[in-house]
Amino acid sequence: MVIEAADRIFRASRSRCPAEPVRGLIGAEDISVAYAVQREFVRRRLAAGGIVVGRKIGLTSPAVQQQLGVDQPDLGVLFADMDVSGALVVPPGRLLQPKVEAEIAFVLKKDLVDGDLGDAQVRAAVDYGLAALEIVDSRIANWDIGITDTVADNASSGLFVLSDKEVTLEEFVPAEVVMRMYADDVLVSEGSGGACLGDPLAALTWLARTAREFGDPLTAGQIILSGALGPMVPVSPGVRVHADLGPLGSVSATFSGEGCRG
């Protein structure tokens, strides 16, 4: 069932045609099986030449956790070709049914392999923070997802955009960052660092411990998308999305007017 579920997601990612939920294959509650599907999906991406550049944390919002009936976040893998920071427009052919959320990205300067991976160690491992837009996407048709669907689907990863303003932890407090996100100058989402597991650094600590438990710990140089600071919003063709994250500055992305495949 793991291979069949991975086949379904991998096929959808290549064909750009959304697939049926995989929970009918792997069950709706066994997260360990869902992560096995994700690992198989990642293995195939690596075999096809993909390069891992970091991780993302999802389900950091209590409201979303309640919606899916879970009490913990999930994680996915970031590949180099997901970074569209330098693109004039976000390529529509890469997306099926995208939504956007604003968050804090961390770049690591130290490995998080040994030690207790406590708050102080994790904080000391951060090189700097950046404003980020995560363009989440789902290979599951109509976003008809449960927890095992999204975990299996690499935590509904799509693309991401990073700002070019690097800010150290001595210069800002992640939990106190206020975020406002706009679509063509209309406010569509707002929130704060406290909406991300209470503190984006707490989300990073959770990720560091969980990644090590899975045998694939975080390492220096990796990019970490730490989780949404406010509600995610659907993307309309031709829209320009930009978010202001206070001391981290702003980050923006313009979406092609061609629309996305769905």
PDB file of all heavy atoms in Angstrom, residues 28 31 44 48-49 58 69 84 106 150 155 158 164-165 172 180 191 197-198 256:
ATOM      1  N   ALA A  28      -6.718   6.457   7.466  1.00  0.00           N
ATOM      2  CA  ALA A  28      -6.874   7.873   7.778  1.00  0.00           C
ATOM      3  C   ALA A  28      -6.141   8.311   9.034  1.00  0.00           C
ATOM      4  O   ALA A  28      -6.125   9.510   9.345  1.00  0.00           O
ATOM      5  CB  ALA A  28      -8.362   8.204   7.921  1.00  0.00           C
ATOM      6  N   ILE A  31      -0.109   7.807  10.970  1.00  0.00           N
ATOM      7  CA  ILE A  31       0.828   8.791  10.450  1.00  0.00           C
ATOM      8  C   ILE A  31       2.164   8.153  10.091  1.00  0.00           C
ATOM      9  O   ILE A  31       2.845   8.591   9.154  1.00  0.00           O
ATOM     10  CB  ILE A  31       1.006   9.934  11.470  1.00  0.00           C
ATOM     11  CG1 ILE A  31      -0.328  10.661  11.673  1.00  0.00           C
ATOM     12  CG2 ILE A  31       2.055  10.931  10.990  1.00  0.00           C
ATOM     13  CD1 ILE A  31      -0.285  11.769  12.700  1.00  0.00           C
ATOM     14  N   ARG A  44      12.281   8.929  -4.659  1.00  0.00           N
ATOM     15  CA  ARG A  44      12.111   9.023  -6.112  1.00  0.00           C
ATOM     16  C   ARG A  44      12.555  10.381  -6.636  1.00  0.00           C
ATOM     17  O   ARG A  44      13.146  10.476  -7.718  1.00  0.00           O
ATOM     18  CB  ARG A  44      10.652   8.748  -6.491  1.00  0.00           C
ATOM     19  CG  ARG A  44      10.206   7.329  -6.142  1.00  0.00           C
ATOM     20  CD  ARG A  44       8.770   7.075  -6.572  1.00  0.00           C
ATOM     21  NE  ARG A  44       8.294   5.794  -6.053  1.00  0.00           N
ATOM     22  CZ  ARG A  44       7.169   5.208  -6.444  1.00  0.00           C
ATOM     23  NH1 ARG A  44       6.400   5.786  -7.359  1.00  0.00           N
ATOM     24  NH2 ARG A  44       6.797   4.056  -5.925  1.00  0.00           N
ATOM     25  N   ALA A  48      15.686  11.100  -9.232  1.00  0.00           N
ATOM     26  CA  ALA A  48      15.489  11.865 -10.462  1.00  0.00           C
ATOM     27  C   ALA A  48      16.368  13.114 -10.508  1.00  0.00           C
ATOM     28  O   ALA A  48      16.232  13.933 -11.427  1.00  0.00           O
ATOM     29  CB  ALA A  48      14.019  12.251 -10.601  1.00  0.00           C
ATOM     30  N   GLY A  49      17.252  13.275  -9.520  1.00  0.00           N
ATOM     31  CA  GLY A  49      18.177  14.401  -9.520  1.00  0.00           C
ATOM     32  C   GLY A  49      17.840  15.525  -8.568  1.00  0.00           C
ATOM     33  O   GLY A  49      18.512  16.558  -8.566  1.00  0.00           O
ATOM     34  N   GLY A  58       4.546  21.996   8.836  1.00  0.00           N
ATOM     35  CA  GLY A  58       3.153  22.286   8.563  1.00  0.00           C
ATOM     36  C   GLY A  58       2.288  21.989   9.774  1.00  0.00           C
ATOM     37  O   GLY A  58       2.755  21.436  10.776  1.00  0.00           O
ATOM     38  N   GLY A  69      -7.945  16.834  13.209  1.00  0.00           N
ATOM     39  CA  GLY A  69      -7.973  15.875  14.299  1.00  0.00           C
ATOM     40  C   GLY A  69      -6.613  15.397  14.744  1.00  0.00           C
ATOM     41  O   GLY A  69      -6.433  14.223  15.082  1.00  0.00           O
ATOM     42  N   VAL A  84      11.705  29.658  -5.786  1.00  0.00           N
ATOM     43  CA  VAL A  84      11.465  30.531  -6.939  1.00  0.00           C
ATOM     44  C   VAL A  84      11.647  31.990  -6.539  1.00  0.00           C
ATOM     45  O   VAL A  84      11.015  32.884  -7.094  1.00  0.00           O
ATOM     46  CB  VAL A  84      10.056  30.279  -7.527  1.00  0.00           C
ATOM     47  CG1 VAL A  84       9.982  28.899  -8.136  1.00  0.00           C
ATOM     48  CG2 VAL A  84       8.952  30.465  -6.478  1.00  0.00           C
ATOM     49  N   PHE A 106      14.135  30.125   8.618  1.00  0.00           N
ATOM     50  CA  PHE A 106      15.420  30.153   9.305  1.00  0.00           C
ATOM     51  C   PHE A 106      16.464  29.455   8.432  1.00  0.00           C
ATOM     52  O   PHE A 106      16.158  28.453   7.785  1.00  0.00           O
ATOM     53  CB  PHE A 106      15.346  29.411  10.646  1.00  0.00           C
ATOM     54  CG  PHE A 106      14.410  30.029  11.646  1.00  0.00           C
ATOM     55  CD1 PHE A 106      13.250  29.371  12.042  1.00  0.00           C
ATOM     56  CD2 PHE A 106      14.691  31.261  12.215  1.00  0.00           C
ATOM     57  CE1 PHE A 106      12.386  29.921  12.976  1.00  0.00           C
ATOM     58  CE2 PHE A 106      13.835  31.828  13.159  1.00  0.00           C
ATOM     59  CZ  PHE A 106      12.679  31.160  13.533  1.00  0.00           C
ATOM     60  N   THR A 150      -1.969  14.596   3.650  1.00  0.00           N
ATOM     61  CA  THR A 150      -1.013  15.693   3.554  1.00  0.00           C
ATOM     62  C   THR A 150       0.397  15.248   3.934  1.00  0.00           C
ATOM     63  O   THR A 150       1.377  15.664   3.319  1.00  0.00           O
ATOM     64  CB  THR A 150      -1.458  16.912   4.381  1.00  0.00           C
ATOM     65  OG1 THR A 150      -0.573  17.998   4.129  1.00  0.00           O
ATOM     66  CG2 THR A 150      -1.500  16.621   5.870  1.00  0.00           C
ATOM     67  N   ALA A 155       3.817  16.863   2.980  1.00  0.00           N
ATOM     68  CA  ALA A 155       3.262  17.972   3.754  1.00  0.00           C
ATOM     69  C   ALA A 155       2.696  19.070   2.863  1.00  0.00           C
ATOM     70  O   ALA A 155       2.769  20.254   3.189  1.00  0.00           O
ATOM     71  CB  ALA A 155       4.301  18.544   4.722  1.00  0.00           C
ATOM     72  N   GLY A 158       4.851  22.922  -2.055  1.00  0.00           N
ATOM     73  CA  GLY A 158       4.792  23.394  -3.428  1.00  0.00           C
ATOM     74  C   GLY A 158       6.073  24.113  -3.786  1.00  0.00           C
ATOM     75  O   GLY A 158       7.072  23.497  -4.132  1.00  0.00           O
ATOM     76  N   ASP A 164      15.423  38.897   0.647  1.00  0.00           N
ATOM     77  CA  ASP A 164      16.888  38.981   0.638  1.00  0.00           C
ATOM     78  C   ASP A 164      17.426  39.737   1.849  1.00  0.00           C
ATOM     79  O   ASP A 164      18.595  40.109   1.897  1.00  0.00           O
ATOM     80  CB  ASP A 164      17.401  39.617  -0.658  1.00  0.00           C
ATOM     81  CG  ASP A 164      16.812  40.997  -0.910  1.00  0.00           C
ATOM     82  OD1 ASP A 164      16.116  41.523  -0.023  1.00  0.00           O
ATOM     83  OD2 ASP A 164      17.041  41.544  -2.002  1.00  0.00           O
ATOM     84  N   LYS A 165      16.564  39.972   2.851  1.00  0.00           N
ATOM     85  CA  LYS A 165      16.979  40.658   4.070  1.00  0.00           C
ATOM     86  C   LYS A 165      17.255  39.627   5.150  1.00  0.00           C
ATOM     87  O   LYS A 165      16.337  38.968   5.640  1.00  0.00           O
ATOM     88  CB  LYS A 165      15.900  41.636   4.532  1.00  0.00           C
ATOM     89  CG  LYS A 165      16.282  42.425   5.787  1.00  0.00           C
ATOM     90  CD  LYS A 165      15.184  43.394   6.199  1.00  0.00           C
ATOM     91  CE  LYS A 165      15.573  44.188   7.443  1.00  0.00           C
ATOM     92  NZ  LYS A 165      14.511  45.137   7.865  1.00  0.00           N
ATOM     93  N   PHE A 172      15.710  40.410  16.207  1.00  0.00           N
ATOM     94  CA  PHE A 172      14.253  40.278  16.241  1.00  0.00           C
ATOM     95  C   PHE A 172      13.851  39.109  17.118  1.00  0.00           C
ATOM     96  O   PHE A 172      14.648  38.209  17.390  1.00  0.00           O
ATOM     97  CB  PHE A 172      13.672  40.121  14.831  1.00  0.00           C
ATOM     98  CG  PHE A 172      13.746  38.728  14.253  1.00  0.00           C
ATOM     99  CD1 PHE A 172      12.601  37.948  14.126  1.00  0.00           C
ATOM    100  CD2 PHE A 172      14.957  38.190  13.819  1.00  0.00           C
ATOM    101  CE1 PHE A 172      12.647  36.672  13.582  1.00  0.00           C
ATOM    102  CE2 PHE A 172      15.013  36.915  13.272  1.00  0.00           C
ATOM    103  CZ  PHE A 172      13.851  36.144  13.159  1.00  0.00           C
ATOM    104  N   ARG A 180       1.336  40.788   7.991  1.00  0.00           N
ATOM    105  CA  ARG A 180       0.172  41.164   7.196  1.00  0.00           C
ATOM    106  C   ARG A 180       0.461  40.814   5.743  1.00  0.00           C
ATOM    107  O   ARG A 180       1.507  41.196   5.216  1.00  0.00           O
ATOM    108  CB  ARG A 180      -0.143  42.653   7.342  1.00  0.00           C
ATOM    109  CG  ARG A 180      -0.623  43.036   8.733  1.00  0.00           C
ATOM    110  CD  ARG A 180      -0.972  44.521   8.834  1.00  0.00           C
ATOM    111  NE  ARG A 180      -1.512  44.837  10.163  1.00  0.00           N
ATOM    112  CZ  ARG A 180      -0.749  45.170  11.203  1.00  0.00           C
ATOM    113  NH1 ARG A 180       0.575  45.207  11.079  1.00  0.00           N
ATOM    114  NH2 ARG A 180      -1.311  45.432  12.378  1.00  0.00           N
ATOM    115  N   GLY A 191      -1.509  37.838  11.124  1.00  0.00           N
ATOM    116  CA  GLY A 191      -1.257  37.004  12.287  1.00  0.00           C
ATOM    117  C   GLY A 191       0.075  37.375  12.906  1.00  0.00           C
ATOM    118  O   GLY A 191       0.620  38.452  12.649  1.00  0.00           O
ATOM    119  N   LEU A 197       2.818  27.494  16.734  1.00  0.00           N
ATOM    120  CA  LEU A 197       3.155  26.695  17.921  1.00  0.00           C
ATOM    121  C   LEU A 197       3.584  27.564  19.101  1.00  0.00           C
ATOM    122  O   LEU A 197       4.389  27.148  19.930  1.00  0.00           O
ATOM    123  CB  LEU A 197       4.251  25.666  17.602  1.00  0.00           C
ATOM    124  CG  LEU A 197       3.865  24.499  16.690  1.00  0.00           C
ATOM    125  CD1 LEU A 197       5.025  23.514  16.594  1.00  0.00           C
ATOM    126  CD2 LEU A 197       2.611  23.792  17.159  1.00  0.00           C
ATOM    127  N   GLY A 198       3.070  28.792  19.128  1.00  0.00           N
ATOM    128  CA  GLY A 198       3.423  29.704  20.205  1.00  0.00           C
ATOM    129  C   GLY A 198       4.690  30.482  19.953  1.00  0.00           C
ATOM    130  O   GLY A 198       4.866  31.579  20.485  1.00  0.00           O
ATOM    131  N   SER A 256       1.516  34.139 -12.552  1.00  0.00           N
ATOM    132  CA  SER A 256       1.186  34.279 -13.958  1.00  0.00           C
ATOM    133  C   SER A 256      -0.317  34.383 -14.163  1.00  0.00           C
ATOM    134  O   SER A 256      -1.105  33.740 -13.459  1.00  0.00           O
ATOM    135  CB  SER A 256       1.734  33.088 -14.742  1.00  0.00           C
ATOM    136  OG  SER A 256       1.216  33.078 -16.054  1.00  0.00           O
TER     137      SER A 256
END
